Coordinates of all heavy atoms in Angstrom, one line a residue:
L196 N -24.2 -87.5 75.2 CA -24.0 -86.1 74.7 C -24.3 -85.2 75.8 O -25.3 -85.2 76.5 CB -24.9 -85.8 73.6 CG -24.8 -86.6 72.3 CD1 -26.0 -86.4 71.3 CD2 -23.5 -86.2 71.6
P197 N -23.3 -84.3 76.1 CA -23.4 -83.4 77.3 C -24.6 -82.4 77.1 O -25.2 -82.1 78.1 CB -22.1 -82.6 77.2 CG -21.1 -83.4 76.4 CD -21.9 -84.2 75.4
I198 N -25.0 -82.0 75.9 CA -26.1 -81.1 75.8 C -27.4 -81.7 76.3 O -28.3 -81.0 76.7 CB -26.2 -80.7 74.2 CG1 -27.1 -79.5 74.2 CG2 -26.7 -81.8 73.4 CD1 -27.0 -78.7 72.9
L199 N -27.5 -83.0 76.3 CA -28.7 -83.7 76.8 C -28.8 -83.6 78.3 O -29.9 -84.0 78.8 CB -28.8 -85.1 76.4 CG -29.0 -85.3 74.9 CD1 -29.0 -86.8 74.5 CD2 -30.2 -84.6 74.3
A200 N -27.9 -83.1 79.0 CA -28.0 -82.9 80.4 C -28.9 -81.7 80.7 O -29.5 -81.6 81.8 CB -26.6 -82.7 81.0
D201 N -29.1 -80.8 79.7 CA -29.9 -79.6 79.9 C -31.4 -80.1 79.7 O -31.8 -80.5 78.6 CB -29.6 -78.6 78.8 CG -30.3 -77.3 79.0 OD1 -31.5 -77.3 79.4 OD2 -29.7 -76.3 78.6
T202 N -32.2 -80.0 80.7 CA -33.6 -80.5 80.7 C -34.4 -79.6 79.7 O -35.3 -80.2 79.0 CB -34.3 -80.4 82.0 OG1 -34.1 -79.1 82.6 CG2 -33.6 -81.4 83.0
S203 N -34.2 -78.4 79.4 CA -34.9 -77.7 78.5 C -34.6 -78.2 77.1 O -35.5 -78.2 76.2 CB -34.6 -76.1 78.5 OG -33.3 -75.8 78.3
V204 N -33.4 -78.6 76.8 CA -33.0 -79.1 75.5 C -33.8 -80.5 75.3 O -34.3 -80.8 74.3 CB -31.4 -79.3 75.4 CG1 -31.1 -80.1 74.1 CG2 -30.7 -77.9 75.3
Q205 N -33.7 -81.3 76.4 CA -34.4 -82.6 76.3 C -35.9 -82.3 76.0 O -36.4 -83.1 75.2 CB -34.3 -83.2 77.7 CG -33.0 -83.9 78.1 CD -33.0 -84.5 79.4 OE1 -34.1 -84.9 79.9 NE2 -31.9 -84.6 80.1
E206 N -36.5 -81.4 76.7 CA -38.0 -81.2 76.4 C -38.2 -80.9 75.0 O -39.2 -81.3 74.4 CB -38.5 -80.1 77.5 CG -38.5 -80.7 78.8 CD -38.8 -79.4 79.8 OE1 -39.0 -78.3 79.4 OE2 -38.8 -79.7 81.0
E207 N -37.4 -80.0 74.4 CA -37.6 -79.6 73.0 C -37.4 -80.7 72.1 O -38.1 -80.9 71.2 CB -36.6 -78.4 72.7 CG -37.1 -77.1 73.3 CD -36.2 -75.9 72.8 OE1 -36.1 -75.8 71.6 OE2 -35.8 -75.1 73.6
L208 N -36.3 -81.5 72.3 CA -36.0 -82.7 71.4 C -37.1 -83.7 71.5 O -37.4 -84.4 70.5 CB -34.7 -83.2 71.7 CG -33.5 -82.2 71.4 CD1 -32.2 -82.9 71.9 CD2 -33.5 -82.0 69.9
I209 N -37.6 -83.9 72.7 CA -38.6 -85.0 73.0 C -39.8 -84.6 72.1 O -40.5 -85.6 71.6 CB -39.0 -85.1 74.5 CG1 -37.7 -85.9 75.2 CG2 -40.3 -85.9 74.7 CD1 -37.8 -85.9 76.6
Q210 N -40.2 -83.4 72.0 CA -41.4 -83.0 71.2 C -41.2 -83.3 69.7 O -42.2 -83.4 69.0 CB -41.7 -81.5 71.5 CG -42.1 -81.2 72.8 CD -43.2 -82.1 73.3 OE1 -44.3 -82.2 72.6 NE2 -43.1 -82.6 74.4
L211 N -39.9 -83.5 69.3 CA -39.7 -83.8 67.9 C -39.7 -85.3 67.6 O -39.7 -85.7 66.4 CB -38.3 -83.2 67.4 CG -38.1 -81.8 67.6 CD1 -36.7 -81.4 67.3 CD2 -39.1 -81.0 66.7
L212 N -39.9 -86.1 68.6 CA -39.9 -87.6 68.5 C -41.3 -87.9 68.0 O -42.3 -87.2 68.2 CB -39.6 -88.3 69.7 CG -38.1 -88.2 70.2 CD1 -38.0 -88.7 71.7 CD2 -37.2 -88.9 69.2
P213 N -41.5 -89.1 67.3 CA -42.8 -89.5 66.9 C -43.8 -89.6 68.1 O -43.4 -90.0 69.3 CB -42.6 -90.8 66.3 CG -41.2 -90.9 66.0 CD -40.5 -90.1 66.9
E214 N -45.1 -89.4 67.9 CA -46.1 -89.4 68.9 C -46.0 -91.0 69.5 O -45.8 -91.8 68.8 CB -47.5 -89.2 68.3 CG -48.3 -88.4 69.3 CD -49.6 -87.9 68.6 OE1 -49.6 -87.1 67.7 OE2 -50.7 -88.5 68.9
G215 N -46.2 -91.0 70.8 CA -46.1 -92.4 71.4 C -44.7 -92.7 71.8 O -44.6 -93.6 72.5
L216 N -43.7 -92.0 71.3 CA -42.3 -92.3 71.7 C -41.7 -91.1 72.3 O -40.5 -91.0 72.4 CB -41.6 -92.7 70.4 CG -42.0 -93.9 69.7 CD1 -41.3 -94.1 68.4 CD2 -41.8 -95.2 70.6
R217 N -42.4 -90.1 72.8 CA -41.9 -88.9 73.4 C -41.6 -89.1 74.8 O -42.2 -88.6 75.8 CB -42.9 -87.8 73.2 CG -43.1 -87.5 71.7 CD -44.1 -86.3 71.4 NE -44.2 -86.1 70.1 CZ -45.1 -85.5 69.4 NH1 -46.2 -85.1 70.2 NH2 -45.1 -85.4 68.1
T218 N -40.4 -89.8 75.1 CA -40.0 -89.9 76.4 C -38.5 -89.7 76.5 O -37.8 -89.7 75.4 CB -40.2 -91.4 76.9 OG1 -39.4 -92.3 76.1 CG2 -41.7 -91.8 76.9
Q219 N -38.0 -89.4 77.7 CA -36.6 -89.2 77.8 C -35.8 -90.4 77.5 O -34.8 -90.4 76.8 CB -36.3 -88.9 79.3 CG -34.8 -88.5 79.6 CD -34.5 -88.1 81.0 OE1 -35.1 -88.8 81.9 NE2 -33.7 -87.3 81.3
Q220 N -36.3 -91.7 77.7 CA -35.6 -92.9 77.5 C -35.5 -93.1 75.9 O -34.5 -93.5 75.4 CB -36.4 -94.1 78.0 CG -35.7 -95.4 77.8 CD -36.5 -96.6 78.4 OE1 -37.5 -96.4 79.1 NE2 -36.0 -97.8 78.2
E221 N -36.6 -92.7 75.2 CA -36.6 -92.8 73.7 C -35.6 -91.8 73.1 O -34.9 -92.2 72.1 CB -38.0 -92.7 73.1 CG -38.1 -92.9 71.6 CD -37.7 -94.4 71.3 OE1 -37.9 -95.3 72.1 OE2 -37.1 -94.5 70.2
L222 N -35.6 -90.6 73.7 CA -34.6 -89.6 73.2 C -33.2 -90.2 73.3 O -32.4 -90.1 72.4 CB -34.7 -88.4 74.0 CG -33.7 -87.2 73.6 CD1 -33.8 -86.8 72.2 CD2 -33.9 -86.0 74.6
Y223 N -32.8 -90.7 74.5 CA -31.4 -91.2 74.7 C -31.2 -92.5 73.7 O -30.1 -92.6 73.2 CB -31.2 -91.7 76.2 CG -30.9 -90.5 77.0 CD1 -31.8 -90.1 78.0 CD2 -29.8 -89.8 76.9 CE1 -31.6 -89.0 78.8 CE2 -29.5 -88.6 77.8 CZ -30.5 -88.3 78.7 OH -30.2 -87.2 79.5
H224 N -32.2 -93.2 73.5 CA -32.0 -94.4 72.6 C -31.8 -93.9 71.2 O -30.9 -94.5 70.5 CB -33.4 -95.3 72.7 CG -33.3 -96.4 71.7 ND1 -32.5 -97.6 71.9 CD2 -34.1 -96.5 70.6 CE1 -32.8 -98.3 70.9 NE2 -33.6 -97.7 70.1
T225 N -32.5 -92.9 70.8 CA -32.5 -92.4 69.5 C -31.1 -91.8 69.2 O -30.4 -92.1 68.2 CB -33.5 -91.3 69.2 OG1 -34.8 -91.9 69.3 CG2 -33.4 -90.7 67.8
V226 N -30.6 -90.9 70.1 CA -29.3 -90.3 69.8 C -28.1 -91.2 70.0 O -27.1 -90.9 69.6 CB -29.2 -89.0 70.7 CG1 -30.2 -87.9 70.3 CG2 -29.1 -89.3 72.1
S227 N -28.3 -92.3 70.7 CA -27.2 -93.2 70.8 C -27.2 -94.4 69.8 O -26.4 -95.2 69.8 CB -27.2 -93.8 72.3 OG -28.4 -94.6 72.5
S228 N -28.2 -94.3 68.9 CA -28.4 -95.4 68.0 C -27.3 -95.3 66.8 O -26.9 -94.2 66.5 CB -29.7 -95.4 67.3 OG -29.9 -94.3 66.4
P229 N -26.8 -96.5 66.3 CA -25.9 -96.4 65.2 C -26.4 -95.6 64.0 O -25.7 -94.9 63.3 CB -25.7 -97.9 64.8 CG -26.2 -98.7 66.0 CD -27.2 -97.8 66.7
Q230 N -27.7 -95.7 63.7 CA -28.3 -94.9 62.6 C -28.1 -93.5 62.8 O -27.8 -92.7 61.8 CB -29.8 -95.4 62.4 CG -30.0 -96.8 62.0 CD -30.1 -97.7 63.3 OE1 -29.8 -97.3 64.4 NE2 -30.5 -98.9 63.0
F231 N -28.5 -93.0 64.0 CA -28.4 -91.6 64.2 C -26.9 -91.1 64.1 O -26.6 -90.1 63.5 CB -28.9 -91.2 65.6 CG -28.8 -89.8 66.0 CD1 -29.9 -88.9 65.6 CD2 -27.7 -89.3 66.7 CE1 -29.8 -87.6 65.9 CE2 -27.8 -87.9 67.0 CZ -28.7 -87.1 66.7
R232 N -26.0 -91.9 64.7 CA -24.6 -91.5 64.6 C -24.0 -91.6 63.2 O -23.3 -90.7 62.7 CB -23.7 -92.4 65.5 CG -24.1 -92.1 67.0 CD -23.1 -93.0 67.9 NE -23.5 -92.9 69.3 CZ -23.0 -91.9 70.0 NH1 -22.3 -91.0 69.6 NH2 -23.4 -91.9 71.3
Q233 N -24.5 -92.5 62.4 CA -24.1 -92.6 61.0 C -24.7 -91.4 60.2 O -23.9 -90.8 59.4 CB -24.6 -93.9 60.3 CG -24.2 -94.1 58.9 CD -24.7 -95.3 58.3 OE1 -25.6 -96.1 58.9 NE2 -24.1 -95.8 57.2
A234 N -25.9 -91.0 60.4 CA -26.4 -89.8 59.7 C -25.7 -88.5 60.1 O -25.5 -87.6 59.4 CB -27.9 -89.7 60.1
L235 N -25.4 -88.4 61.4 CA -24.6 -87.3 61.9 C -23.2 -87.3 61.3 O -22.8 -86.1 60.9 CB -24.5 -87.3 63.4 CG -24.2 -86.1 64.2 CD1 -25.1 -85.0 63.9 CD2 -24.3 -86.4 65.7
M236 N -22.5 -88.4 61.1 CA -21.3 -88.4 60.5 C -21.4 -88.0 59.0 O -20.5 -87.3 58.5 CB -20.6 -89.8 60.7 CG -20.4 -90.3 62.0 SD -18.7 -89.8 62.7 CE -17.7 -90.7 61.5
A237 N -22.4 -88.5 58.4 CA -22.6 -88.1 56.9 C -22.8 -86.7 56.8 O -22.3 -86.0 55.9 CB -23.8 -88.9 56.4
L238 N -23.7 -86.0 57.6 CA -23.9 -84.6 57.6 C -22.6 -83.8 57.8 O -22.3 -82.9 57.1 CB -25.0 -84.2 58.6 CG -25.3 -82.7 58.7 CD1 -25.7 -82.2 57.3 CD2 -26.3 -82.5 59.7
S239 N -21.9 -84.3 58.9 CA -20.6 -83.6 59.3 C -19.6 -83.7 58.1 O -19.0 -82.7 57.6 CB -20.0 -84.3 60.5 OG -20.8 -84.1 61.5
S240 N -19.6 -84.8 57.5 CA -18.7 -85.0 56.3 C -19.0 -84.1 55.1 O -18.2 -83.5 54.5 CB -18.7 -86.5 55.9 OG -17.9 -86.7 54.7
A241 N -20.3 -84.0 54.8 CA -20.8 -83.1 53.7 C -20.5 -81.7 54.1 O -20.2 -80.9 53.1 CB -22.4 -83.4 53.5
L242 N -20.7 -81.4 55.3 CA -20.4 -79.9 55.7 C -19.0 -79.6 55.6 O -18.6 -78.3 55.5 CB -21.0 -79.7 57.1 CG -22.5 -79.7 57.3 CD1 -22.8 -79.6 58.8 CD2 -23.2 -78.7 56.5
L243 N -18.1 -80.5 55.7 CA -16.7 -80.3 55.6 C -16.1 -80.5 54.3 O -14.9 -80.4 54.1 CB -16.0 -81.1 56.6 CG -16.3 -80.8 58.1 CD1 -15.7 -81.9 59.1 CD2 -15.9 -79.4 58.5
S244 N -17.0 -80.7 53.3 CA -16.6 -81.0 51.9 C -17.0 -79.8 51.0 O -17.5 -78.9 51.4 CB -17.2 -82.4 51.4 OG -18.5 -82.1 51.1
D245 N -16.7 -80.1 49.7 CA -17.1 -79.1 48.7 C -18.5 -79.1 48.5 O -19.1 -78.3 47.7 CB -16.3 -79.3 47.4 CG -14.8 -79.1 47.5 OD1 -14.4 -78.3 48.4 OD2 -14.1 -79.7 46.8
N246 N -19.3 -80.0 49.1 CA -20.7 -80.1 48.9 C -21.5 -79.3 49.8 O -22.8 -79.4 49.9 CB -21.2 -81.6 49.1 CG -20.7 -82.5 48.1 OD1 -20.5 -82.2 46.9 ND2 -20.4 -83.8 48.5
F247 N -20.9 -78.3 50.5 CA -21.6 -77.5 51.6 C -22.7 -76.7 50.9 O -23.8 -76.7 51.5 CB -20.5 -76.5 52.2 CG -21.2 -75.7 53.3 CD1 -21.2 -76.3 54.6 CD2 -21.8 -74.5 53.1 CE1 -21.8 -75.6 55.6 CE2 -22.4 -73.8 54.1 CZ -22.4 -74.4 55.4
N248 N -22.6 -76.2 49.7 CA -23.7 -75.4 49.1 C -24.9 -76.3 48.8 O -26.0 -75.9 49.0 CB -23.2 -74.8 47.8 CG -22.3 -73.6 48.1 OD1 -22.4 -73.0 49.1 ND2 -21.4 -73.3 47.1
S249 N -24.6 -77.6 48.5 CA -25.8 -78.5 48.2 C -26.5 -78.8 49.5 O -27.7 -78.8 49.5 CB -25.3 -79.8 47.7 OG -24.6 -79.6 46.4
V250 N -25.8 -78.9 50.5 CA -26.4 -79.2 51.9 C -27.3 -78.0 52.3 O -28.5 -78.1 52.7 CB -25.4 -79.5 53.0 CG1 -26.0 -79.5 54.4 CG2 -24.6 -80.7 52.7
M251 N -26.7 -76.7 52.1 CA -27.4 -75.5 52.4 C -28.7 -75.4 51.5 O -29.8 -75.1 52.1 CB -26.6 -74.2 52.2 CG -25.3 -74.2 53.0 SD -25.8 -73.9 54.7 CE -26.1 -72.2 54.7
T252 N -28.6 -75.8 50.3 CA -29.7 -75.8 49.4 C -30.8 -76.7 49.8 O -32.0 -76.5 49.8 CB -29.4 -76.0 48.0 OG1 -28.4 -75.0 47.5 CG2 -30.5 -76.0 47.0
N253 N -30.4 -78.0 50.2 CA -31.3 -79.0 50.6 C -32.1 -78.6 51.8 O -33.2 -79.0 52.1 CB -30.6 -80.4 50.9 CG -30.2 -81.0 49.6 OD1 -30.8 -80.8 48.5 ND2 -29.2 -81.8 49.7
F254 N -31.5 -77.8 52.7 CA -32.2 -77.3 54.0 C -32.8 -76.0 53.7 O -33.2 -75.4 54.7 CB -31.1 -77.3 55.1 CG -30.9 -78.7 55.7 CD1 -29.7 -79.4 55.3 CD2 -31.7 -79.2 56.6 CE1 -29.5 -80.6 55.8 CE2 -31.4 -80.5 57.2 CZ -30.3 -81.2 56.7
N255 N -32.7 -75.5 52.5 CA -33.3 -74.1 52.2 C -32.8 -73.0 53.1 O -33.5 -72.2 53.6 CB -34.8 -74.2 52.4 CG -35.5 -73.2 51.5 OD1 -34.9 -72.6 50.6 ND2 -36.7 -72.8 51.9
L256 N -31.4 -73.0 53.2 CA -30.8 -72.1 54.1 C -30.0 -71.1 53.2 O -29.4 -71.5 52.1 CB -29.7 -72.8 55.1 CG -30.4 -73.7 56.0 CD1 -29.3 -74.5 56.8 CD2 -31.2 -72.9 57.0
D257 N -29.9 -69.9 53.6 CA -29.2 -68.8 52.8 C -27.7 -68.8 53.2 O -27.4 -69.0 54.4 CB -29.8 -67.4 53.1 CG -31.3 -67.4 52.5 OD1 -31.5 -68.1 51.5 OD2 -32.1 -66.7 53.1
L258 N -26.9 -68.3 52.3 CA -25.5 -68.1 52.6 C -25.3 -66.6 52.9 O -25.2 -65.7 52.0 CB -24.6 -68.4 51.4 CG -24.3 -70.0 51.3 CD1 -23.5 -70.2 50.1 CD2 -23.5 -70.4 52.5
D259 N -25.2 -66.3 54.2 CA -24.9 -64.9 54.7 C -23.5 -64.7 54.7 O -22.7 -65.6 54.7 CB -25.5 -65.0 56.1 CG -25.2 -63.7 56.9 OD1 -26.1 -62.8 56.8 OD2 -24.2 -63.7 57.6
P260 N -23.0 -63.4 54.6 CA -21.6 -63.2 54.6 C -20.8 -63.8 55.8 O -19.7 -64.3 55.6 CB -21.4 -61.6 54.6 CG -22.7 -61.2 53.9 CD -23.8 -62.3 54.3
S261 N -21.4 -63.8 57.0 CA -20.8 -64.3 58.2 C -20.6 -65.9 58.0 O -19.7 -66.5 58.4 CB -21.6 -64.0 59.4 OG -22.9 -64.7 59.4
I262 N -21.5 -66.4 57.2 CA -21.4 -67.9 57.0 C -20.3 -68.2 56.0 O -19.5 -69.1 56.1 CB -22.7 -68.5 56.4 CG1 -23.8 -68.3 57.5 CG2 -22.6 -69.9 56.0 CD1 -25.2 -68.5 57.1
T263 N -20.2 -67.4 55.0 CA -19.1 -67.5 54.0 C -17.8 -67.4 54.6 O -16.9 -68.1 54.4 CB -19.3 -66.5 52.8 OG1 -20.7 -66.6 52.3 CG2 -18.2 -66.7 51.8
G264 N -17.7 -66.4 55.6 CA -16.4 -66.3 56.3 C -16.0 -67.5 57.2 O -14.9 -67.9 57.2
L265 N -17.0 -68.1 57.8 CA -16.7 -69.4 58.5 C -16.3 -70.5 57.6 O -15.4 -71.3 57.9 CB -18.0 -69.9 59.3 CG -18.4 -68.9 60.5 CD1 -19.7 -69.3 61.0 CD2 -17.3 -69.1 61.6
L266 N -16.9 -70.5 56.4 CA -16.6 -71.6 55.5 C -15.1 -71.4 55.0 O -14.4 -72.3 54.8 CB -17.5 -71.5 54.2 CG -18.9 -72.1 54.4 CD1 -19.8 -71.8 53.2 CD2 -18.9 -73.6 54.8
N267 N -14.8 -70.1 54.7 CA -13.4 -69.8 54.2 C -12.4 -70.2 55.2 O -11.2 -70.4 54.9 CB -13.2 -68.3 53.9 CG -14.1 -67.9 52.6 OD1 -14.4 -68.8 51.9 ND2 -14.4 -66.7 52.5
H268 N -12.8 -70.4 56.5 CA -11.9 -70.8 57.6 C -12.0 -72.3 57.9 O -11.6 -72.7 59.0 CB -12.0 -69.9 58.8 CG -11.6 -68.5 58.7 ND1 -12.4 -67.5 58.3 CD2 -10.3 -68.0 58.8 CE1 -11.7 -66.4 58.2 NE2 -10.5 -66.6 58.4
G269 N -12.7 -73.0 57.0 CA -12.8 -74.4 57.2 C -13.8 -74.8 58.3 O -13.7 -76.0 58.9
E270 N -14.7 -74.0 58.7 CA -15.7 -74.3 59.8 C -17.1 -74.6 59.3 O -18.0 -73.8 59.6 CB -15.7 -73.1 60.8 CG -14.3 -72.9 61.4 CD -14.3 -71.9 62.6 OE1 -15.2 -72.1 63.4 OE2 -13.6 -71.0 62.6
G271 N -17.2 -75.6 58.5 CA -18.5 -76.0 57.9 C -19.6 -76.2 58.9 O -20.7 -75.8 58.7
I272 N -19.3 -76.9 59.9 CA -20.4 -77.3 60.9 C -20.9 -76.0 61.6 O -22.0 -75.8 61.8 CB -19.8 -78.3 61.9 CG1 -19.6 -79.6 61.2 CG2 -20.9 -78.5 63.0 CD1 -18.9 -80.7 62.0
R273 N -19.9 -75.1 62.0 CA -20.2 -73.9 62.7 C -21.0 -73.1 61.7 O -22.1 -72.4 62.1 CB -19.1 -73.2 63.1 CG -19.4 -71.8 63.9 CD -18.2 -71.2 64.4 NE -18.1 -71.5 65.7 CZ -17.1 -71.2 66.5 NH1 -16.0 -70.6 65.9 NH2 -17.0 -71.5 67.8
A274 N -20.7 -73.0 60.4 CA -21.4 -72.2 59.4 C -22.8 -72.8 59.2 O -23.8 -72.0 59.1 CB -20.6 -72.3 58.1
F275 N -23.0 -74.0 59.3 CA -24.3 -74.7 59.1 C -25.2 -74.3 60.3 O -26.3 -73.9 60.1 CB -24.1 -76.2 59.0 CG -25.4 -76.9 58.9 CD1 -26.2 -76.9 57.7 CD2 -25.9 -77.7 59.9 CE1 -27.4 -77.5 57.6 CE2 -27.0 -78.4 59.7 CZ -27.9 -78.3 58.6
L276 N -24.6 -74.5 61.5 CA -25.4 -74.0 62.7 C -25.8 -72.6 62.7 O -26.8 -72.2 63.1 CB -24.6 -74.4 63.9 CG -24.4 -76.0 64.1 CD1 -23.5 -76.2 65.3 CD2 -25.7 -76.7 64.3
R277 N -24.8 -71.7 62.2 CA -25.1 -70.3 62.1 C -26.2 -70.0 61.2 O -27.1 -69.3 61.4 CB -23.8 -69.6 61.7 CG -24.0 -68.1 61.5 CD -24.1 -67.3 62.7 NE -24.2 -65.9 62.5 CZ -25.1 -65.1 63.1 NH1 -25.9 -65.6 64.0 NH2 -25.2 -63.9 62.8
A278 N -26.2 -70.8 60.0 CA -27.3 -70.6 58.9 C -28.6 -71.0 59.6 O -29.7 -70.3 59.3 CB -26.9 -71.3 57.8
I279 N -28.6 -72.1 60.3 CA -29.9 -72.5 61.0 C -30.4 -71.4 61.9 O -31.6 -71.0 61.9 CB -29.8 -73.9 61.7 CG1 -29.5 -74.9 60.6 CG2 -30.9 -74.1 62.5 CD1 -29.2 -76.2 61.2
Q280 N -29.5 -70.8 62.7 CA -29.8 -69.8 63.7 C -30.4 -68.6 63.0 O -31.4 -68.0 63.4 CB -28.7 -69.5 64.6 CG -29.0 -68.5 65.7 CD -30.0 -69.1 66.6 OE1 -29.9 -70.1 67.3 NE2 -31.2 -68.4 66.7
L281 N -29.7 -68.2 61.9 CA -30.2 -67.0 61.1 C -31.6 -67.3 60.6 O -32.5 -66.3 60.6 CB -29.2 -66.7 60.1 CG -27.9 -66.0 60.5 CD1 -26.9 -65.9 59.3 CD2 -28.1 -64.7 61.1
A282 N -31.8 -68.4 60.1 CA -33.1 -68.8 59.6 C -34.2 -68.8 60.6 O -35.4 -68.2 60.4 CB -33.1 -70.2 58.9
V283 N -33.9 -69.3 61.8 CA -34.9 -69.3 62.9 C -35.1 -67.8 63.3 O -36.4 -67.4 63.5 CB -34.3 -70.1 64.1 CG1 -35.2 -69.8 65.3 CG2 -34.4 -71.6 63.8
D284 N -34.1 -67.0 63.4 CA -34.3 -65.7 63.8 C -35.1 -64.9 62.8 O -36.0 -64.1 63.2 CB -33.0 -65.0 63.9 CG -32.1 -65.5 65.1 OD1 -32.7 -66.2 66.0 OD2 -30.9 -65.2 65.3
K285 N -34.9 -65.2 61.5 CA -35.8 -64.5 60.5 C -37.2 -65.0 60.5 O -38.1 -64.1 60.5 CB -35.1 -64.8 59.1 CG -35.9 -64.2 58.0 CD -35.2 -64.5 56.6 CE -35.9 -63.8 55.4 NZ -37.4 -63.8 55.4
N286 N -37.4 -66.2 60.7 CA -38.7 -66.7 60.9 C -39.5 -66.1 62.0 O -40.6 -65.7 61.9 CB -38.8 -68.2 60.9 CG -38.5 -68.8 59.7 OD1 -38.6 -68.3 58.6 ND2 -38.2 -70.2 59.7
R287 N -38.8 -66.0 63.1 CA -39.4 -65.4 64.4 C -39.7 -63.9 64.1 O -40.8 -63.4 64.5 CB -38.5 -65.5 65.6 CG -38.4 -66.9 66.1 CD -37.6 -67.1 67.3 NE -37.6 -68.4 67.8 CZ -36.7 -68.9 68.6 NH1 -35.6 -68.1 69.0 NH2 -36.8 -70.1 69.0
S288 N -38.8 -63.2 63.4 CA -38.9 -61.8 63.1 C -40.2 -61.6 62.2 O -40.9 -60.7 62.4 CB -37.7 -61.2 62.5 OG -37.9 -59.9 62.0
D289 N -40.2 -62.5 61.2 CA -41.3 -62.5 60.1 C -42.7 -62.7 60.8 O -43.7 -62.0 60.6 CB -41.1 -63.4 59.0 CG -40.0 -63.0 58.2 OD1 -39.5 -61.9 58.3 OD2 -39.5 -63.9 57.3
E290 N -42.6 -63.7 61.8 CA -43.9 -64.0 62.5 C -44.3 -62.8 63.4 O -45.5 -62.5 63.5 CB -43.8 -65.2 63.3 CG -43.7 -66.5 62.5 CD -43.5 -67.7 63.3 OE1 -43.3 -67.6 64.6 OE2 -43.3 -68.8 62.7
A291 N -43.3 -62.2 64.0 CA -43.7 -61.1 64.9 C -44.2 -59.9 64.1 O -45.1 -59.2 64.5 CB -42.5 -60.6 65.7
S292 N -43.6 -59.6 62.9 CA -44.1 -58.5 62.1 C -45.5 -58.8 61.5 O -46.3 -57.9 61.5 CB -43.2 -58.1 61.0 OG -42.0 -58.7 60.9
G293 N -45.7 -60.1 61.3 CA -47.0 -60.5 60.7 C -48.1 -60.3 61.7 O -49.2 -59.8 61.5
K294 N -47.7 -60.7 62.9 CA -48.8 -60.5 64.1 C -49.0 -59.1 64.4 O -50.1 -58.7 64.7 CB -48.2 -61.2 65.3 CG -48.3 -62.7 65.2 CD -47.8 -63.4 66.4 CE -47.9 -65.0 66.2 NZ -47.2 -65.6 67.3
S295 N -47.9 -58.2 64.3 CA -48.1 -56.9 64.6 C -48.9 -56.1 63.5 O -49.7 -55.3 63.8 CB -46.8 -56.1 64.9 OG -46.0 -56.0 63.7
K296 N -48.7 -56.6 62.3 CA -49.5 -56.0 61.2 C -50.9 -56.4 61.3 O -51.8 -55.6 61.0 CB -48.9 -56.4 59.9 CG -47.6 -55.7 59.5 CD -47.1 -56.3 58.2 CE -45.7 -55.7 57.9 NZ -45.2 -56.2 56.7
E297 N -51.2 -57.6 61.7 CA -52.6 -58.1 61.9 C -53.3 -57.3 63.0 O -54.6 -57.0 62.9 CB -52.6 -59.6 62.3 CG -52.3 -60.5 61.1 CD -52.1 -61.9 61.5 OE1 -52.6 -62.3 62.7 OE2 -51.6 -62.7 60.8
S298 N -52.7 -56.9 64.1 CA -53.3 -56.2 65.1 C -53.5 -54.6 64.8 O -54.1 -54.0 65.5 CB -52.5 -56.3 66.4 OG -51.2 -55.8 66.3
D299 N -52.9 -54.2 63.7 CA -53.0 -52.8 63.3 C -54.4 -52.5 62.7 O -55.1 -53.2 62.3 CB -52.0 -52.4 62.3 CG -50.6 -52.2 62.9 OD1 -50.5 -52.2 64.2 OD2 -49.6 -52.3 62.2

C-alpha cells in the first residue's frame, strides 16, 4: 500500500497494533494478510451497497449533508472516510472546548 511509505502514517498505525507486536514488520504483515484484505473488501462492499446507513450506525457516525451528497453520487467509500474525518474533527473541537472551559 502506497500510504505505508509515509513514516508518520506507519507510526500512527503501529500504535494501534497489539502490545508486543508494534513493529513495522508486523504492520506490513497485518495489512498484507488475507484476513485484513477480506475485511477491507467486506467493508468496501457494504459501503457501496444499500447497507451504508447500517455501517454508519455501527461506527456511530453521523450523516452530514456533504456525506449524503457523496452517497448520491455513488461514492460510499469517500462518504465513509469523510464521516470519520468529521467525527474526529468534532471530537478534537469538543476536547479543545472542554479544556478551555476547565481553565476558565
